[in-house]
Amino acid sequence: MKILLKILIITMLLNRLAFAKSGLEYGFQVPIGMSVGINRFILNKDSSSVQQSNYNSKLKQNSKNSYIGFDLEILAHLGYNFEFRRNMSLSLLFEIGYSHDTFSSYSKNNGSSSVKNLNYYIFESMTFGIYPKFNWNKFSFGIASGIKVPLYARIKDSVVDYQNSKITQNIEIIKANQMKNIFKVPIIPYLKFSADYLIY
């Protein structure tokens, strides 16, 4: 089994928001950013001793390092804004949209220092979540949580030979009904924080 974790480190945000002091609120977001993938491998409980031995051997030979990936989301928000003081309100929003997530890592080849093995797990998913926000004057602070349901995924393994300027790639497509056979959790839970400023 494989568990993938991700830390979002850079986000550029395009946001369109419309709301009254108290009433219906809707928004549209296109977050674009980079992420760092953290890889964690876990064997199935029924793995044989031979599989365990091979697994331990591979860990000693190849130590994976975090690498940079590309992320993109297209999100729509719909909910209600509750004003409880002047210039102060609480928004309760539902979040739905599309998400492109990349989990990546690399390892150096023991045979040559100029050869690097790159691994990418790329997910195309539907996003469903809840997004409460606290609004004060032109500032908004929120925390969103939910799940991403993968429609399909791509596993891309690349071997880069810098000395000979050569790249070898292998790409595998994983359908939604195959996720549970490869990943311990076939959905992607998420938690994110936001800080916005209204410029008009």
mmCIF file of all heavy atoms in Angstrom, residues 11-19 25-31 75 77 91 93 95 131-144 192-200:
data_model
loop_
_atom_site.group_PDB
_atom_site.id
_atom_site.type_symbol
_atom_site.label_atom_id
_atom_site.label_comp_id
_atom_site.label_asym_id
_atom_site.label_seq_id
_atom_site.Cartn_x
_atom_site.Cartn_y
_atom_site.Cartn_z
ATOM 1 N N THR A 11 0.904 29.447 -3.107
ATOM 2 C CA THR A 11 -0.422 29.514 -3.718
ATOM 3 C C THR A 11 -0.646 30.890 -4.329
ATOM 4 O O THR A 11 -0.455 31.902 -3.671
ATOM 5 C CB THR A 11 -1.528 29.231 -2.687
ATOM 6 O OG1 THR A 11 -1.349 27.923 -2.153
ATOM 7 C CG2 THR A 11 -2.893 29.318 -3.331
ATOM 8 N N MET A 12 -1.023 30.906 -5.592
ATOM 9 C CA MET A 12 -1.497 32.123 -6.246
ATOM 10 C C MET A 12 -2.999 31.963 -6.389
ATOM 11 O O MET A 12 -3.468 30.943 -6.886
ATOM 12 C CB MET A 12 -0.841 32.275 -7.613
ATOM 13 C CG MET A 12 0.646 32.452 -7.557
ATOM 14 S SD MET A 12 1.409 32.247 -9.185
ATOM 15 C CE MET A 12 0.388 33.303 -10.192
ATOM 16 N N LEU A 13 -3.771 32.932 -5.956
ATOM 17 C CA LEU A 13 -5.217 32.765 -5.867
ATOM 18 C C LEU A 13 -5.944 33.820 -6.687
ATOM 19 O O LEU A 13 -5.708 35.004 -6.546
ATOM 20 C CB LEU A 13 -5.661 32.859 -4.401
ATOM 21 C CG LEU A 13 -7.152 32.700 -4.126
ATOM 22 C CD1 LEU A 13 -7.587 31.298 -4.511
ATOM 23 C CD2 LEU A 13 -7.433 32.948 -2.666
ATOM 24 N N LEU A 14 -6.817 33.335 -7.579
ATOM 25 C CA LEU A 14 -7.731 34.215 -8.296
ATOM 26 C C LEU A 14 -9.114 33.987 -7.690
ATOM 27 O O LEU A 14 -9.592 32.864 -7.644
ATOM 28 C CB LEU A 14 -7.744 33.880 -9.788
ATOM 29 C CG LEU A 14 -6.394 33.969 -10.503
ATOM 30 C CD1 LEU A 14 -6.554 33.488 -11.937
ATOM 31 C CD2 LEU A 14 -5.857 35.386 -10.479
ATOM 32 N N ASN A 15 -9.744 35.037 -7.238
ATOM 33 C CA ASN A 15 -10.988 34.862 -6.497
ATOM 34 C C ASN A 15 -12.019 35.911 -6.905
ATOM 35 O O ASN A 15 -11.701 37.077 -7.060
ATOM 36 C CB ASN A 15 -10.709 34.981 -4.991
ATOM 37 C CG ASN A 15 -11.952 34.688 -4.170
ATOM 38 O OD1 ASN A 15 -12.698 33.784 -4.492
ATOM 39 N ND2 ASN A 15 -12.153 35.449 -3.122
ATOM 40 N N ARG A 16 -13.238 35.468 -7.093
ATOM 41 C CA ARG A 16 -14.349 36.375 -7.354
ATOM 42 C C ARG A 16 -15.424 36.078 -6.321
ATOM 43 O O ARG A 16 -15.876 34.938 -6.189
ATOM 44 C CB ARG A 16 -14.894 36.165 -8.761
ATOM 45 C CG ARG A 16 -16.148 36.968 -9.073
ATOM 46 C CD ARG A 16 -15.886 38.464 -9.078
ATOM 47 N NE ARG A 16 -17.103 39.202 -9.367
ATOM 48 C CZ ARG A 16 -17.201 40.524 -9.276
ATOM 49 N NH1 ARG A 16 -16.160 41.239 -8.914
ATOM 50 N NH2 ARG A 16 -18.338 41.131 -9.549
ATOM 51 N N LEU A 17 -15.810 37.091 -5.558
ATOM 52 C CA LEU A 17 -16.731 36.879 -4.457
ATOM 53 C C LEU A 17 -17.838 37.914 -4.485
ATOM 54 O O LEU A 17 -17.605 39.084 -4.741
ATOM 55 C CB LEU A 17 -15.976 36.973 -3.122
ATOM 56 C CG LEU A 17 -16.773 36.743 -1.847
ATOM 57 C CD1 LEU A 17 -17.256 35.298 -1.807
ATOM 58 C CD2 LEU A 17 -15.920 37.050 -0.641
ATOM 59 N N ALA A 18 -19.066 37.468 -4.237
ATOM 60 C CA ALA A 18 -20.190 38.397 -4.177
ATOM 61 C C ALA A 18 -21.036 38.055 -2.966
ATOM 62 O O ALA A 18 -21.409 36.912 -2.772
ATOM 63 C CB ALA A 18 -21.025 38.315 -5.440
ATOM 64 N N PHE A 19 -21.314 39.063 -2.130
ATOM 65 C CA PHE A 19 -22.158 38.812 -0.968
ATOM 66 C C PHE A 19 -22.740 40.120 -0.447
ATOM 67 O O PHE A 19 -22.203 41.200 -0.666
ATOM 68 C CB PHE A 19 -21.388 38.102 0.146
ATOM 69 C CG PHE A 19 -20.221 38.890 0.691
ATOM 70 C CD1 PHE A 19 -20.379 39.735 1.769
ATOM 71 C CD2 PHE A 19 -18.972 38.773 0.105
ATOM 72 C CE1 PHE A 19 -19.307 40.447 2.277
ATOM 73 C CE2 PHE A 19 -17.905 39.486 0.609
ATOM 74 C CZ PHE A 19 -18.064 40.326 1.697
ATOM 75 N N GLU A 25 -24.314 34.077 -0.301
ATOM 76 C CA GLU A 25 -22.920 34.352 -0.683
ATOM 77 C C GLU A 25 -22.460 33.282 -1.657
ATOM 78 O O GLU A 25 -22.737 32.094 -1.482
ATOM 79 C CB GLU A 25 -22.015 34.363 0.545
ATOM 80 C CG GLU A 25 -20.550 34.643 0.221
ATOM 81 C CD GLU A 25 -19.693 34.779 1.468
ATOM 82 O OE1 GLU A 25 -20.256 35.044 2.550
ATOM 83 O OE2 GLU A 25 -18.466 34.609 1.360
ATOM 84 N N TYR A 26 -21.769 33.699 -2.700
ATOM 85 C CA TYR A 26 -21.205 32.740 -3.638
ATOM 86 C C TYR A 26 -19.831 33.241 -4.089
ATOM 87 O O TYR A 26 -19.529 34.430 -4.023
ATOM 88 C CB TYR A 26 -22.118 32.536 -4.848
ATOM 89 C CG TYR A 26 -22.346 33.782 -5.680
ATOM 90 C CD1 TYR A 26 -21.518 34.076 -6.765
ATOM 91 C CD2 TYR A 26 -23.402 34.650 -5.397
ATOM 92 C CE1 TYR A 26 -21.731 35.214 -7.532
ATOM 93 C CE2 TYR A 26 -23.608 35.775 -6.165
ATOM 94 C CZ TYR A 26 -22.770 36.061 -7.229
ATOM 95 O OH TYR A 26 -22.972 37.179 -7.987
ATOM 96 N N GLY A 27 -19.009 32.319 -4.499
ATOM 97 C CA GLY A 27 -17.658 32.685 -4.896
ATOM 98 C C GLY A 27 -17.094 31.705 -5.901
ATOM 99 O O GLY A 27 -17.614 30.610 -6.108
ATOM 100 N N PHE A 28 -15.989 32.100 -6.504
ATOM 101 C CA PHE A 28 -15.315 31.291 -7.514
ATOM 102 C C PHE A 28 -13.814 31.447 -7.305
ATOM 103 O O PHE A 28 -13.302 32.565 -7.233
ATOM 104 C CB PHE A 28 -15.714 31.769 -8.907
ATOM 105 C CG PHE A 28 -15.045 31.031 -10.029
ATOM 106 C CD1 PHE A 28 -15.438 29.735 -10.357
ATOM 107 C CD2 PHE A 28 -14.014 31.620 -10.743
ATOM 108 C CE1 PHE A 28 -14.824 29.062 -11.381
ATOM 109 C CE2 PHE A 28 -13.387 30.943 -11.775
ATOM 110 C CZ PHE A 28 -13.792 29.655 -12.090
ATOM 111 N N GLN A 29 -13.098 30.338 -7.182
ATOM 112 C CA GLN A 29 -11.657 30.367 -6.911
ATOM 113 C C GLN A 29 -10.892 29.498 -7.888
ATOM 114 O O GLN A 29 -11.358 28.425 -8.284
ATOM 115 C CB GLN A 29 -11.352 29.882 -5.493
ATOM 116 C CG GLN A 29 -11.721 30.858 -4.401
ATOM 117 C CD GLN A 29 -11.281 30.363 -3.044
ATOM 118 O OE1 GLN A 29 -10.997 29.184 -2.848
ATOM 119 N NE2 GLN A 29 -11.218 31.265 -2.076
ATOM 120 N N VAL A 30 -9.691 29.961 -8.240
ATOM 121 C CA VAL A 30 -8.766 29.168 -9.054
ATOM 122 C C VAL A 30 -7.393 29.192 -8.377
ATOM 123 O O VAL A 30 -6.534 30.004 -8.730
ATOM 124 C CB VAL A 30 -8.665 29.710 -10.494
ATOM 125 C CG1 VAL A 30 -7.774 28.795 -11.346
ATOM 126 C CG2 VAL A 30 -10.036 29.844 -11.129
ATOM 127 N N PRO A 31 -7.174 28.347 -7.365
ATOM 128 C CA PRO A 31 -5.858 28.293 -6.725
ATOM 129 C C PRO A 31 -4.846 27.571 -7.621
ATOM 130 O O PRO A 31 -5.121 26.509 -8.168
ATOM 131 C CB PRO A 31 -6.106 27.496 -5.445
ATOM 132 C CG PRO A 31 -7.589 27.393 -5.309
ATOM 133 C CD PRO A 31 -8.138 27.481 -6.692
ATOM 134 N N LEU A 75 -12.779 25.955 -8.171
ATOM 135 C CA LEU A 75 -13.740 25.742 -7.093
ATOM 136 C C LEU A 75 -14.886 26.743 -7.129
ATOM 137 O O LEU A 75 -14.687 27.920 -7.466
ATOM 138 C CB LEU A 75 -13.026 25.862 -5.731
ATOM 139 C CG LEU A 75 -11.867 24.894 -5.478
ATOM 140 C CD1 LEU A 75 -11.155 25.273 -4.197
ATOM 141 C CD2 LEU A 75 -12.365 23.465 -5.421
ATOM 142 N N HIS A 77 -18.110 28.177 -4.597
ATOM 143 C CA HIS A 77 -18.596 28.228 -3.232
ATOM 144 C C HIS A 77 -20.016 28.800 -3.209
ATOM 145 O O HIS A 77 -20.315 29.759 -3.925
ATOM 146 C CB HIS A 77 -17.683 29.118 -2.375
ATOM 147 C CG HIS A 77 -16.288 28.622 -2.276
ATOM 148 N ND1 HIS A 77 -15.191 29.385 -2.579
ATOM 149 C CD2 HIS A 77 -15.806 27.403 -1.932
ATOM 150 C CE1 HIS A 77 -14.094 28.684 -2.405
ATOM 151 N NE2 HIS A 77 -14.441 27.474 -2.013
ATOM 152 N N SER A 91 -19.344 33.407 7.389
ATOM 153 C CA SER A 91 -19.832 32.761 6.167
ATOM 154 C C SER A 91 -19.741 31.254 6.316
ATOM 155 O O SER A 91 -18.694 30.725 6.723
ATOM 156 C CB SER A 91 -18.998 33.198 4.955
ATOM 157 O OG SER A 91 -19.055 34.590 4.771
ATOM 158 N N LEU A 93 -20.057 28.103 3.889
ATOM 159 C CA LEU A 93 -20.097 27.812 2.459
ATOM 160 C C LEU A 93 -19.879 26.331 2.182
ATOM 161 O O LEU A 93 -19.144 25.653 2.894
ATOM 162 C CB LEU A 93 -19.010 28.611 1.731
ATOM 163 C CG LEU A 93 -18.991 30.127 1.947
ATOM 164 C CD1 LEU A 93 -17.760 30.728 1.301
ATOM 165 C CD2 LEU A 93 -20.256 30.759 1.392
ATOM 166 N N GLU A 95 -18.307 23.790 -0.696
ATOM 167 C CA GLU A 95 -17.242 23.873 -1.704
ATOM 168 C C GLU A 95 -17.327 22.667 -2.643
ATOM 169 O O GLU A 95 -17.405 21.526 -2.184
ATOM 170 C CB GLU A 95 -15.887 23.912 -1.002
ATOM 171 C CG GLU A 95 -14.696 24.036 -1.914
ATOM 172 C CD GLU A 95 -13.418 24.267 -1.134
ATOM 173 O OE1 GLU A 95 -12.905 23.294 -0.542
ATOM 174 O OE2 GLU A 95 -12.932 25.411 -1.091
ATOM 175 N N TYR A 131 -16.664 25.114 3.960
ATOM 176 C CA TYR A 131 -15.718 26.221 4.032
ATOM 177 C C TYR A 131 -16.293 27.365 4.874
ATOM 178 O O TYR A 131 -16.874 28.299 4.346
ATOM 179 C CB TYR A 131 -15.408 26.686 2.602
ATOM 180 C CG TYR A 131 -14.381 27.775 2.459
ATOM 181 C CD1 TYR A 131 -13.386 27.979 3.407
ATOM 182 C CD2 TYR A 131 -14.400 28.612 1.343
ATOM 183 C CE1 TYR A 131 -12.442 28.971 3.248
ATOM 184 C CE2 TYR A 131 -13.453 29.610 1.175
ATOM 185 C CZ TYR A 131 -12.474 29.786 2.132
ATOM 186 O OH TYR A 131 -11.545 30.774 1.966
ATOM 187 N N PRO A 132 -16.147 27.336 6.201
ATOM 188 C CA PRO A 132 -16.565 28.463 7.036
ATOM 189 C C PRO A 132 -15.502 29.563 7.037
ATOM 190 O O PRO A 132 -14.302 29.281 7.036
ATOM 191 C CB PRO A 132 -16.722 27.829 8.426
ATOM 192 C CG PRO A 132 -15.803 26.654 8.402
ATOM 193 C CD PRO A 132 -15.723 26.179 6.985
ATOM 194 N N LYS A 133 -15.955 30.834 7.051
ATOM 195 C CA LYS A 133 -15.026 31.964 7.042
ATOM 196 C C LYS A 133 -15.495 33.039 8.029
ATOM 197 O O LYS A 133 -16.683 33.297 8.159
ATOM 198 C CB LYS A 133 -14.947 32.602 5.649
ATOM 199 C CG LYS A 133 -14.296 31.778 4.590
ATOM 200 C CD LYS A 133 -13.940 32.639 3.366
ATOM 201 C CE LYS A 133 -15.158 33.373 2.843
ATOM 202 N NZ LYS A 133 -14.786 34.248 1.688
ATOM 203 N N PHE A 134 -14.524 33.667 8.667
ATOM 204 C CA PHE A 134 -14.788 34.812 9.520
ATOM 205 C C PHE A 134 -14.410 36.072 8.754
ATOM 206 O O PHE A 134 -13.273 36.201 8.271
ATOM 207 C CB PHE A 134 -13.995 34.716 10.821
ATOM 208 C CG PHE A 134 -14.077 35.951 11.671
ATOM 209 C CD1 PHE A 134 -15.243 36.249 12.376
ATOM 210 C CD2 PHE A 134 -13.002 36.823 11.758
ATOM 211 C CE1 PHE A 134 -15.321 37.389 13.148
ATOM 212 C CE2 PHE A 134 -13.074 37.963 12.531
ATOM 213 C CZ PHE A 134 -14.237 38.255 13.237
ATOM 214 N N ASN A 135 -15.347 37.019 8.622
ATOM 215 C CA ASN A 135 -15.125 38.243 7.855
ATOM 216 C C ASN A 135 -15.077 39.448 8.776
ATOM 217 O O ASN A 135 -15.984 39.645 9.607
ATOM 218 C CB ASN A 135 -16.248 38.426 6.829
ATOM 219 C CG ASN A 135 -16.469 37.187 5.985
ATOM 220 O OD1 ASN A 135 -15.582 36.715 5.296
ATOM 221 N ND2 ASN A 135 -17.681 36.643 6.050
ATOM 222 N N TRP A 136 -14.032 40.252 8.618
ATOM 223 C CA TRP A 136 -13.878 41.465 9.408
ATOM 224 C C TRP A 136 -13.397 42.590 8.495
ATOM 225 O O TRP A 136 -12.311 42.489 7.914
ATOM 226 C CB TRP A 136 -12.895 41.237 10.537
ATOM 227 C CG TRP A 136 -12.586 42.486 11.320
ATOM 228 C CD1 TRP A 136 -13.420 43.193 12.112
ATOM 229 C CD2 TRP A 136 -11.319 43.161 11.352
ATOM 230 N NE1 TRP A 136 -12.777 44.280 12.647
ATOM 231 C CE2 TRP A 136 -11.469 44.273 12.199
ATOM 232 C CE3 TRP A 136 -10.083 42.915 10.760
ATOM 233 C CZ2 TRP A 136 -10.439 45.166 12.464
ATOM 234 C CZ3 TRP A 136 -9.047 43.799 11.024
ATOM 235 C CH2 TRP A 136 -9.223 44.905 11.860
ATOM 236 N N ASN A 137 -14.225 43.628 8.339
ATOM 237 C CA ASN A 137 -13.939 44.693 7.381
ATOM 238 C C ASN A 137 -13.683 44.088 6.003
ATOM 239 O O ASN A 137 -14.515 43.386 5.472
ATOM 240 C CB ASN A 137 -12.789 45.565 7.864
ATOM 241 C CG ASN A 137 -13.194 46.432 9.051
ATOM 242 O OD1 ASN A 137 -14.350 46.851 9.150
ATOM 243 N ND2 ASN A 137 -12.258 46.703 9.950
ATOM 244 N N LYS A 138 -12.493 44.299 5.438
ATOM 245 C CA LYS A 138 -12.172 43.737 4.129
ATOM 246 C C LYS A 138 -11.333 42.459 4.227
ATOM 247 O O LYS A 138 -10.864 41.942 3.219
ATOM 248 C CB LYS A 138 -11.431 44.767 3.279
ATOM 249 C CG LYS A 138 -12.306 45.948 2.849
ATOM 250 C CD LYS A 138 -11.588 46.821 1.845
ATOM 251 C CE LYS A 138 -12.512 47.907 1.326
ATOM 252 N NZ LYS A 138 -11.855 48.733 0.271
ATOM 253 N N PHE A 139 -11.149 41.938 5.438
ATOM 254 C CA PHE A 139 -10.366 40.724 5.638
ATOM 255 C C PHE A 139 -11.288 39.524 5.850
ATOM 256 O O PHE A 139 -12.360 39.643 6.441
ATOM 257 C CB PHE A 139 -9.441 40.859 6.843
ATOM 258 C CG PHE A 139 -8.354 41.881 6.674
ATOM 259 C CD1 PHE A 139 -8.543 43.192 7.091
ATOM 260 C CD2 PHE A 139 -7.142 41.527 6.087
ATOM 261 C CE1 PHE A 139 -7.541 44.137 6.936
ATOM 262 C CE2 PHE A 139 -6.142 42.461 5.927
ATOM 263 C CZ PHE A 139 -6.336 43.779 6.351
ATOM 264 N N SER A 140 -10.832 38.360 5.394
ATOM 265 C CA SER A 140 -11.546 37.099 5.623
ATOM 266 C C SER A 140 -10.547 36.012 5.992
ATOM 267 O O SER A 140 -9.485 35.894 5.365
ATOM 268 C CB SER A 140 -12.313 36.669 4.372
ATOM 269 O OG SER A 140 -13.360 37.562 4.078
ATOM 270 N N PHE A 141 -10.882 35.225 7.012
ATOM 271 C CA PHE A 141 -10.035 34.129 7.451
ATOM 272 C C PHE A 141 -10.892 32.860 7.499
ATOM 273 O O PHE A 141 -11.939 32.840 8.151
ATOM 274 C CB PHE A 141 -9.430 34.410 8.822
ATOM 275 C CG PHE A 141 -8.671 35.707 8.884
ATOM 276 C CD1 PHE A 141 -9.311 36.870 9.302
ATOM 277 C CD2 PHE A 141 -7.341 35.768 8.507
ATOM 278 C CE1 PHE A 141 -8.618 38.070 9.357
ATOM 279 C CE2 PHE A 141 -6.638 36.962 8.556
ATOM 280 C CZ PHE A 141 -7.271 38.122 8.978
ATOM 281 N N GLY A 142 -10.453 31.818 6.794
ATOM 282 C CA GLY A 142 -11.268 30.611 6.699
ATOM 283 C C GLY A 142 -10.487 29.335 6.904
ATOM 284 O O GLY A 142 -9.252 29.311 6.871
ATOM 285 N N ILE A 143 -11.229 28.270 7.130
ATOM 286 C CA ILE A 143 -10.659 26.931 7.214
ATOM 287 C C ILE A 143 -11.630 25.986 6.502
ATOM 288 O O ILE A 143 -12.822 25.982 6.799
ATOM 289 C CB ILE A 143 -10.422 26.512 8.678
ATOM 290 C CG1 ILE A 143 -9.906 25.073 8.745
ATOM 291 C CG2 ILE A 143 -11.683 26.667 9.520
ATOM 292 C CD1 ILE A 143 -9.441 24.677 10.129
ATOM 293 N N ALA A 144 -11.114 25.245 5.554
ATOM 294 C CA ALA A 144 -11.953 24.341 4.754
ATOM 295 C C ALA A 144 -11.491 22.905 4.929
ATOM 296 O O ALA A 144 -10.296 22.633 5.075
ATOM 297 C CB ALA A 144 -11.894 24.736 3.281
ATOM 298 N N LYS A 192 -7.423 22.928 4.711
ATOM 299 C CA LYS A 192 -6.685 24.102 4.249
ATOM 300 C C LYS A 192 -7.151 25.350 4.983
ATOM 301 O O LYS A 192 -8.271 25.429 5.486
ATOM 302 C CB LYS A 192 -6.860 24.286 2.741
ATOM 303 C CG LYS A 192 -8.272 24.568 2.293
ATOM 304 C CD LYS A 192 -8.346 24.684 0.775
ATOM 305 C CE LYS A 192 -9.785 24.951 0.316
ATOM 306 N NZ LYS A 192 -9.881 25.028 -1.160
ATOM 307 N N PHE A 193 -6.253 26.335 5.041
ATOM 308 C CA PHE A 193 -6.524 27.612 5.681
ATOM 309 C C PHE A 193 -6.430 28.715 4.627
ATOM 310 O O PHE A 193 -5.671 28.611 3.674
ATOM 311 C CB PHE A 193 -5.524 27.871 6.804
ATOM 312 C CG PHE A 193 -5.484 26.803 7.844
ATOM 313 C CD1 PHE A 193 -4.609 25.722 7.721
ATOM 314 C CD2 PHE A 193 -6.327 26.842 8.944
ATOM 315 C CE1 PHE A 193 -4.569 24.727 8.671
ATOM 316 C CE2 PHE A 193 -6.296 25.855 9.907
ATOM 317 C CZ PHE A 193 -5.410 24.788 9.766
ATOM 318 N N SER A 194 -7.196 29.773 4.822
ATOM 319 C CA SER A 194 -7.180 30.872 3.858
ATOM 320 C C SER A 194 -7.181 32.219 4.565
ATOM 321 O O SER A 194 -7.732 32.355 5.663
ATOM 322 C CB SER A 194 -8.365 30.783 2.899
ATOM 323 O OG SER A 194 -9.578 31.050 3.591
ATOM 324 N N ALA A 195 -6.560 33.198 3.937
ATOM 325 C CA ALA A 195 -6.579 34.587 4.395
ATOM 326 C C ALA A 195 -6.776 35.455 3.157
ATOM 327 O O ALA A 195 -5.942 35.440 2.236
ATOM 328 C CB ALA A 195 -5.283 34.931 5.117
ATOM 329 N N ASP A 196 -7.893 36.181 3.086
ATOM 330 C CA ASP A 196 -8.237 36.986 1.912
ATOM 331 C C ASP A 196 -8.368 38.453 2.277
ATOM 332 O O ASP A 196 -8.696 38.813 3.421
ATOM 333 C CB ASP A 196 -9.561 36.506 1.310
ATOM 334 C CG ASP A 196 -9.526 35.043 0.923
ATOM 335 O OD1 ASP A 196 -8.473 34.591 0.455
ATOM 336 O OD2 ASP A 196 -10.555 34.368 1.110
ATOM 337 N N TYR A 197 -8.152 39.305 1.276
ATOM 338 C CA TYR A 197 -8.359 40.744 1.441
ATOM 339 C C TYR A 197 -9.126 41.261 0.228
ATOM 340 O O TYR A 197 -8.748 40.997 -0.913
ATOM 341 C CB TYR A 197 -7.011 41.478 1.558
ATOM 342 C CG TYR A 197 -7.170 42.989 1.694
ATOM 343 C CD1 TYR A 197 -7.591 43.535 2.896
ATOM 344 C CD2 TYR A 197 -6.917 43.826 0.620
ATOM 345 C CE1 TYR A 197 -7.749 44.898 3.039
ATOM 346 C CE2 TYR A 197 -7.079 45.208 0.753
ATOM 347 C CZ TYR A 197 -7.489 45.740 1.972
ATOM 348 O OH TYR A 197 -7.660 47.090 2.100
ATOM 349 N N LEU A 198 -10.218 41.960 0.491
ATOM 350 C CA LEU A 198 -11.069 42.487 -0.564
ATOM 351 C C LEU A 198 -10.516 43.842 -1.006
ATOM 352 O O LEU A 198 -10.353 44.763 -0.198
ATOM 353 C CB LEU A 198 -12.493 42.654 -0.050
ATOM 354 C CG LEU A 198 -13.622 42.751 -1.076
ATOM 355 C CD1 LEU A 198 -13.709 41.483 -1.911
ATOM 356 C CD2 LEU A 198 -14.940 43.016 -0.360
ATOM 357 N N ILE A 199 -10.194 43.985 -2.297
ATOM 358 C CA ILE A 199 -9.540 45.212 -2.780
ATOM 359 C C ILE A 199 -10.509 46.190 -3.418
ATOM 360 O O ILE A 199 -10.107 47.198 -4.003
ATOM 361 C CB ILE A 199 -8.417 44.865 -3.782
ATOM 362 C CG1 ILE A 199 -8.992 44.124 -4.998
ATOM 363 C CG2 ILE A 199 -7.320 44.054 -3.117
ATOM 364 C CD1 ILE A 199 -7.977 43.856 -6.081
ATOM 365 N N TYR A 200 -11.802 45.901 -3.364
ATOM 366 C CA TYR A 200 -12.769 46.853 -3.918
ATOM 367 C C TYR A 200 -13.997 46.947 -3.029
ATOM 368 O O TYR A 200 -14.155 46.159 -2.124
ATOM 369 C CB TYR A 200 -13.175 46.452 -5.343
ATOM 370 C CG TYR A 200 -13.822 45.103 -5.449
ATOM 371 C CD1 TYR A 200 -15.207 44.964 -5.312
ATOM 372 C CD2 TYR A 200 -13.058 43.951 -5.657
ATOM 373 C CE1 TYR A 200 -15.808 43.726 -5.402
ATOM 374 C CE2 TYR A 200 -13.652 42.721 -5.742
ATOM 375 C CZ TYR A 200 -15.014 42.611 -5.608
ATOM 376 O OH TYR A 200 -15.597 41.358 -5.686
#
